[in-house]
Amino acid sequence: MFVVLVALCLNSGQLTTLVSGQRSAVDTYAITNARIVPVSGPVIERGTVVVRNGLIAGVGAQVSAPADARVIDGTGLTIYPGLIDANTSLGIPEASPAPSPAGGAGGGGFALAQRQPGSSASAPNSTQPPGLQPEIMAEDMIKPGGADIELARNSGISTALSAPQSGIWIGQSALINLAGDTPQQMIVRSPVAMHMGFTPLRGSGYPNSLMGVFASLRQMMLDADRYRNAQQIYERAPRAIRRPELDRSLAALVPVLERKMPVVMYANTEREIERALDLAKEFNLRAIIAGGSEAGRLTGRLVEQDVPVLLSLNFPRRTTAAVPEADPEPLRLLRARVEAQNTAAKLAAARVRFAFQSGSMANITDFLANAAKAVDNGLARDEALRALTINPAEIFGVSDRLGSIEVGKIANLTVTRGDIFARSSRITHVFIDGRPVDLKPAATTPQGRAGAAGTWSLKVNLGQGEQDITLTLQQEGEQVRGSMRGALGGGDISNASTTPAGEIRFTVSLNTEGQTREATFAGTISGNEMKGTVEIVGRAPGSFTGTRAGPGS
C-alpha cells in the first residue's frame, strides 16, 4: 500500500510538472522579426516582443524568443500597443423594451424609458429616479462576449472605457479588456469616472428641459456637499447628533466634489462645451469632455482649465441625396463634416490632451479609417497613434499598465500588416491579457440600434393637409443633433434623443397659422421609416410619417 501511495504521489508530481509546462508554453509567446512601435520610445525596425503570463516580458532588437515560447514570425508585420476606445458601452447589454402599462402615444416614450432599464438603468434603494442615479456602476452590468466586442476586436481594439448608456447622471464607468470569461477577468479598473449627460429626460417627467437639467445637476451637487458635511460632523461626534440618513446617490457624488473622481461630460457643440466648462468651473470638477465635435473652437479654455477631450471619430457622413423636391442639406451640416476631420489637429496644435473614441458609430470599421482622415487633415501620425493608445491610458490613470509596449505592462497588442493608418492595412493579430483572440467575423450584427442619422423626408399633418419637411439628423449613441426645414419653416432641433428600441423625440420651432410655435415630435424608427405624433401647445395633436433617403450613417 505504501508503495502505491508513493507511486501515486510521484505520478501526481510529474503530472503537475507537465501541466505547468503546458500552461507555460501556452502563456508564452514571441513575435519575432517584426517592426515594433512602442509609443513610449523610438520605433524598432526589426525586433521581438515576448509575452509571458499576460505581461510583456521582453521587447527589443536583441531580444530572443524563449525556448518555451510559441513563436509567431512577424516578418512584414507591425506591432502596436493594443488600441483603446475611450468611451463606449461595450459589454453592457441592452435590455429589451418593456411594454408601457399606461399605453397610449404622445409622451409615452419617456414613461417607457423611465420603466425599462435599457434606457436608464435603475439602482435599488435610490433616492433619485432613473436617469439621476450617479451610484450606478458599469462593473455591475458588464457581460463577457457578444457581437459588439467581437467587432471591436476585429478593428484592433483591445480595451475600452465602458459606461451605462443614458441618463443625466449616467453612472460610473469601468475600463475593460475585451476578452475574458467573467467580468472580473475583463475589468482593468473600476470605477474610472462619473459620466454626465445634458439631454433632458423625455416626456412630462422632470427635468424635461435643458434649464431643468442644469438645475437638477446643480441641486444634486449642492445637496451632496451638505450630505458630506453632515456625515463628517456625525463621524466626529456620533453620540451627540442624530444619525444622518444614508443616501447612495449623494454619497456617489462626494468623490466628484473632492476631485478624486473625474467627470466625463457629454458635449459636442461649442455652446454645449461652454456650458460644461462653466459647470466644471463652478463646482471645481475634474472635467473631461466627451464627443467634442467643436472642441477645436475652445482650445484656449480647455488648456486653461486643463480639460482633456475624448474626441469622437463618429464623423458626420454624406447622406444620399434627398428626393428632388426636398431642400438641400444645410450649410451647417456641410461645415460640420469638414470641421470634424480637422478638430484633432487643432487640439494637438493647442496642446489639449485628447483621446479617440468611437462615438457609438454604426460601423466600427470606420474607427481606424476616420483616425486616418484626421491624419490626412493635419494631425501628425504619432499624435494619432498616441490618441489611440497612451493618451487614453494617461487620462484614465492606467498608463502604468497600458498604452505602450514596455516590459511589465499588460500584454495588449495590435498587430497589422502595413501601417495602421494606411487604407490597405489589415489587422492580423490582437493580443489581450497576453493571449491572442480569434479575429473571426461576428456571427451577428449588434441589435437594438435603430439609427436615426441621415436625411429624412417627412410629411407632417397638423389638420390642414400634409406639409413636406426635410429632416437632417446626426447621431452619437442616444444623442441626436440636426435641423429641419420646409413648408413650415424650421431650424435646428433641440432636446433630441433616441432609445435602443428606436424611439425618437425632439423639439423644433414651426410656423403655423402665422405664428412661430415650438412643436414636439415623438415617434419610432423602423429601418428607413419614421412615424409618430406632433404636439403643439394649444392645438390638437398632429401626425407625421417619413422615409430616409438612403441608409443611415
Side-chain angles (χ1 to χ4, degrees):
M1 184 68 178
F2 176 75
V3 174
V4 173
L5 288 173
V6 170
L8 286 173
C9 289
L10 288 174
N11 288 337
S12 176
Q14 290 172 352
L15 180 60
T16 301
T17 302
L18 176 60
V19 170
S20 176
Q22 288 176 339
R23 287 178 178 171
S24 177
V26 169
D27 289 340
T28 304
Y29 296 85
I31 308 175
T32 62
N33 304 315
R35 183 172 180 265
I36 305 169
V37 185
V39 172
S40 57
V43 173
I44 300 167
E45 292 299 335
R46 188 180 181 86
T48 297
V49 174
V50 177
V51 173
R52 187 187 295 276
N53 294 328
L55 302 177
I56 297 171
V59 53
Q62 306 302 319
V63 172
S64 300
D68 61 343
R70 181 174 297 177
V71 177
I72 298 172
D73 184 4
T75 301
L77 303 181
T78 302
I79 308 175
Y80 299 93
L83 306 186
I84 301 174
D85 189 340
N87 193 34
T88 75
S89 294
L90 285 172
I92 299 179
E94 297 173 345
S96 300
S100 169
F110 170 65
L112 178 63
Q114 288 277 59
R115 280 184 290 271
Q116 64 119 343
S119 292
S120 291
S122 182
N125 303 320
S126 180
T127 59
Q128 302 295 330
L132 289 168
Q133 298 176 349
E135 68 268 35
I136 289 175
M137 299 187 69
E139 70 173 52
D140 296 328
M141 306 162 73
I142 297 295
K143 301 293 183 185
D148 281 327
I149 286 178
E150 286 193 356
L151 289 169
R153 296 190 312 212
N154 290 348
S155 296
I157 299 168
S158 64
T159 308
L161 187 73
S162 189
Q165 300 174 29
S166 63
I168 296 171
W169 286 114
I170 296 172
Q172 302 171 51
S173 55
L175 189 70
I176 61 172
N177 276 344
L178 302 186
D181 297 326
T182 66
Q184 292 75 20
Q185 292 175 357
M186 298 173 68
I187 293 172
V188 177
R189 183 180 184 187
S190 177
V192 174
M194 182 70 69
H195 288 239
M196 175 192 295
F198 301 115
T199 301
L201 299 178
R202 290 169 294 160
S204 57
Y206 180 82
N208 61 351
S209 68
L210 188 60
M211 183 180 295
V213 168
F214 277 87
S216 295
L217 290 170
R218 287 190 174 93
Q219 189 61 56
M220 284 189 66
M221 284 189 281
L222 291 171
D223 290 345
D225 187 44
R226 286 191 287 270
Y227 177 82
R228 173 182 59 178
N229 292 337
Q231 293 289 342
Q232 290 174 346
I233 291 171
Y234 178 73
E235 289 298 324
R236 286 195 295 266
R239 297 180 63 179
I241 302 173
R242 182 177 177 84
R243 181 183 74 255
E245 291 185 1
L246 176 67
D247 191 316
R248 295 177 63 195
S249 295
L250 298 183
L253 294 178
V254 171
V256 171
L257 294 175
E258 294 178 345
R259 294 180 60 84
K260 295 177 180 177
M261 179 182 291
V263 183
V264 175
M265 310 173 87
Y266 291 62
N268 273 295
T269 67
E270 182 177 10
R271 187 70 188 110
E272 289 170 349
I273 297 170
E274 284 179 333
R275 290 191 183 107
L277 293 176
D278 289 343
L279 188 66
K281 189 172 184 178
E282 179 182 351
F283 288 93
N284 192 29
L285 306 177
R286 285 175 55 201
I288 300 171
I289 297 297
S293 298
E294 297 179 0
R297 303 181 186 181
L298 294 164
T299 55
R301 284 203 64 182
L302 293 167
V303 171
E304 177 188 353
Q305 293 183 227
D306 190 24
V307 175
V309 177
L310 309 181
L311 185 62
S312 174
L313 288 173
N314 189 7
F315 295 161
R317 297 180 62 178
R318 186 179 304 279
T319 55
T320 304
V323 293
E325 62 270 20
D327 291 341
E329 291 180 317
L331 182 61
R332 182 190 58 78
L333 181 56
L334 299 176
R335 287 175 176 166
R337 289 195 197 123
V338 176
E339 185 173 11
Q341 300 178 29
N342 295 332
T343 299
K346 292 178 181 178
L347 295 179
R351 298 188 181 279
V352 176
R353 292 183 296 150
F354 71 96
F356 284 137
Q357 57 146 317
S358 58
S360 299
M361 56 179 54
N363 188 351
I364 194 62
T365 59
D366 289 337
F367 187 67
L368 282 175
N370 286 352
K373 289 179 182 178
V375 171
D376 293 340
N377 284 271
L379 181 65
R381 299 178 93 83
D382 61 336
E383 290 287 354
L385 183 59
R386 290 181 66 85
L388 293 166
T389 55
I390 194 65
N391 285 4
E394 290 175 347
I395 292 170
F396 302 144
V398 293
S399 59
D400 57 348
R401 66 205 80 169
L402 287 173
S404 61
I405 302 177
E406 298 180 74
V407 172
K409 287 193 171 184
I410 296 172
N412 287 0
L413 305 171
T414 297
V415 185
T416 67
R417 185 170 297 281
D419 184 271
I420 197 167
F421 298 118
R423 286 181 173 82
S424 59
S425 176
R426 181 170 63 87
I427 307 293
T428 61
H429 303 79
V430 173
F431 279 74
I432 300 177
D433 273 322
R435 290 179 176 271
V437 297
D438 191 3
L439 299 181
K440 61 183 180 181
T444 59
T445 56
Q447 297 178 351
R449 293 183 180 171
T455 301
W456 296 83
S457 297
L458 302 187
K459 292 189 179 297
V460 180
N461 191 333
L462 298 176
Q464 298 176 340
E466 291 184 338
Q467 303 286 339
D468 291 327
I469 287 180
T470 298
L471 175 66
T472 305
L473 299 177
Q474 303 115 56
Q475 180 179 357
E476 185 165 314
E478 296 185 10
Q479 300 179 24
V480 178
R481 294 175 289 138
S483 60
M484 176 181 283
R485 59 194 66 243
L488 297 173
D492 289 346
I493 66 172
S494 60
N495 297 345
S497 62
T498 66
T499 70
E503 297 171 335
I504 184 168
R505 188 179 182 88
F506 60 88
T507 59
V508 65
S509 296
L510 296 181
N511 296 324
T512 61
E513 299 178 345
Q515 296 181 348
T516 300
R517 302 180 181 181
E518 188 174 81
T520 299
F521 286 68
T524 57
I525 296 172
S526 177
N528 288 327
E529 296 183 355
M530 183 190 302
K531 63 181 179 179
T533 60
V534 185
E535 294 185 358
I536 300 176
V537 176
R539 291 185 53 121
S543 63
F544 72 92
T545 59
T547 57
R548 182 157 34 195
S553 61

